[in-house]
Amino acid sequence: MEKMILGAAVVAAGLLQVTHAGAADLKIGLAVAMTGTYAPYSEAEGARCMADKLNKAAGAGDPKVELMIEDNRSDPQLSVSLGQKFLDAGAQVITGVPFPDALIPTAQIAAPYGATVFSAPNTQLEMQQAGLDNFIAGAVPDPINAAATANALYGKGARTVALMVSPDAGSYSEKLPEWFGEVFEHLGGKVVSKLNYSWGTSDWSPQIASIKALPQKPDAIHICGVLPDVGIFIRQLRANGYDGWVAGCDAFDDKSLEGTVGDPASLEKVMFATHGATGVDSPIDKFLAQCKADGYTINGIFDALGADMVQISYEAAKKSGTVEPAALREAIRAPGGYPGTTAPIISFAAKKGYPVKAVPVMGFANGKRVLITDTPPTFVPALN
């Protein structure tokens, strides 16, 4: 194998900083949200931590990784421009804002270079339907997330649910709740209402008034939104007497959720599907804790997804003996998969564009996170 030289990037003042290296390096370009709406969901620090870990452990003949990291400011257009910058710098793997309006054009400009767009936290079904052979998501698509949550909620005895939907994040905030509702009704439950909201809402009184006006209080409310919005929503629901379940998606897996909700008792009937069990002394918790102890600014589960992306790319380069982009992508999708942080083995062999792995559903007991279930759903809308 040709020698590949490292250095995980250090970002200062929003400028790209990398170590100088030769043409045969494994180069990964990350346009990540260090500022803006998506900053709590950046995978950059986990990626840096894993790259440094791999490079420190590498022997003389082992591959090394160079990370190039810049702030996309949660801006899809800037994200695409940074992707082009990484491609021009020789990156074989790039990523950006984890939504289709950034990832589809990024994959299109990457195709002539043979490069792979490997979005660690992407979950939108559109990316799997776009026909982009050079795209890989590090997370399972939203219908699987929705199905896992519906199964867990139904298993807790809920039989009626109100859905909160928003067009602001595309299918993530609009279709995912509807897929949840489809599975919930498939199981025998009933969707009793669908209410609209906008991202950035801090006063939920109109939506709460609509919920209180329903003929019968729903057993649960499902919403796929970001922090602090959903934390404020839960807090205001409890203040208005709603004591049913609030079910959500992976965006709930933000370390600020507990603090935004406030009273631990208000979390007792909150659940969300995510990418790996955290807060329960899991292998993910141990990895993130070590990264934090080593000085990395860790966000949470999304850093673990970033670590997956780096480790899988590294192991694929090591296995294939090359960093030639097309060969590297083929190696990423090789049978057998590779070790990961969010799962013991992560494989893209079956689905090509996303991994096959369990989707944990987390809840709370006495203010602490607990694992409710990680059983794979059998009925998944839009994918079956």
Side-chain angles (χ1 to χ4, degrees):
M1 180 181 294
E2 295 178 288
K3 184 177 179 182
M4 295 178 277
I5 306 175
L6 158 67
V10 177
V11 180
L15 299 177
L16 175 66
Q17 298 185 2
V18 298
T19 58
H20 294 287
D25 301 344
L26 173 58
K27 298 181 180 180
I28 303 175
L30 295 94
V32 294
M34 299 175 191
T35 56
T37 302
Y38 305 132
Y41 310 103
S42 167
E43 70 270 32
E45 291 293 279
R48 287 184 58 226
C49 182
M50 178 56 74
D52 287 344
K53 177 183 176 182
L54 292 171
N55 286 313
K56 288 174 183 175
D62 290 335
K64 306 269 178 121
V65 184
E66 177 186 328
L67 297 187
M68 299 177 283
I69 305 177
E70 286 207 47
D71 184 8
N72 64 37
R73 304 174 194 165
S74 301
D75 182 334
Q77 289 185 328
L78 176 58
S79 182
V80 176
S81 296
L82 292 172
Q84 183 64 63
K85 182 175 182 178
F86 296 145
L87 292 167
D88 291 341
Q92 299 94 350
V93 177
I94 62 174
T95 191
V97 170
F99 288 94
D101 54 353
L103 293 175
I104 288 176
T106 300
Q108 289 169 340
I109 64 171
Y113 294 80
T116 298
V117 176
F118 194 156
S119 179
N122 174 261
T123 60
Q124 282 71 48
L125 184 61
E126 295 98 312
M127 295 309 302
Q128 304 303 325
Q129 297 173 330
L132 300 165
D133 180 64
N134 66 330
F135 176 78
I136 296 175
V140 301
D142 288 330
I144 300 176
N145 178 299
T149 313
N151 276 276
L153 185 65
Y154 193 84
K156 287 291 186 180
R159 293 296 180 266
T160 57
V161 64
L163 306 180
M164 305 292 295
V165 298
S166 170
D168 292 352
S171 66
Y172 184 66
S173 55
E174 187 167 35
K175 292 297 293 182
L176 190 155
E178 293 179 354
W179 289 321
F180 166 91
E182 185 176 343
V183 177
F184 193 71
E185 293 197 327
H186 176 81
L187 294 168
K190 183 178 181 181
V191 174
V192 296
S193 182
K194 186 165 69 172
L195 304 170
N196 295 310
Y197 74 99
S198 298
W199 278 31
T201 296
S202 58
D203 178 6
W204 293 89
S205 54
Q207 290 84 2
I208 292 173
S210 295
I211 293 168
K212 292 175 75 171
L214 292 172
Q216 183 178 358
K217 182 183 74 175
D219 297 330
I221 298 167
H222 183 280
I223 181 171
C224 186
V226 295
L227 270 295
D229 305 8
V230 293
I232 296 170
F233 179 52
I234 294 168
R235 191 172 70 226
Q236 293 180 5
L237 278 171
R238 300 308 191 214
N240 280 273
Y242 182 77
D243 59 359
W245 283 96
V246 180
C249 58
D250 60 323
F252 276 47
D253 200 351
D254 178 330
K255 61 186 179 182
S256 71
L257 174 63
E258 289 89 331
T260 306
V261 172
D263 183 4
S266 295
L267 291 164
E268 291 296 308
K269 285 190 173 182
V270 172
M271 68 166 65
F272 57 90
T274 185
H275 307 290
T278 61
V280 292
D281 197 30
S282 67
I284 301 172
D285 290 320
K286 291 179 173 63
F287 170 77
L288 296 177
Q290 185 59 58
C291 291
K292 187 174 181 180
D294 290 341
Y296 301 93
T297 305
I298 296 300
N299 279 328
I301 189 63
F302 297 92
D303 285 305
L305 289 172
D308 283 344
M309 184 269 292
V310 170
Q311 185 172 10
I312 290 166
S313 299
Y314 167 88
E315 296 291 349
K318 186 175 179 179
K319 180 176 181 178
S320 64
T322 181
V323 293
E324 191 280 320
L328 179 63
R329 183 164 58 252
E330 183 177 351
I332 289 172
R333 292 168 170 161
Y338 300 99
T341 300
T342 62
I345 296 292
I346 299 174
S347 175
F348 296 89
K351 302 300 183 181
K352 307 301 183 186
Y354 65 90
V356 175
K357 61 180 183 179
V359 180
V361 178
M362 307 298 295
F364 295 86
N366 301 316
K368 303 294 183 182
R369 297 187 181 203
V370 295
L371 177 65
I372 295 176
T373 179
D374 61 357
T375 303
T378 54
F379 173 73
V380 179
L383 285 177
N384 282 353

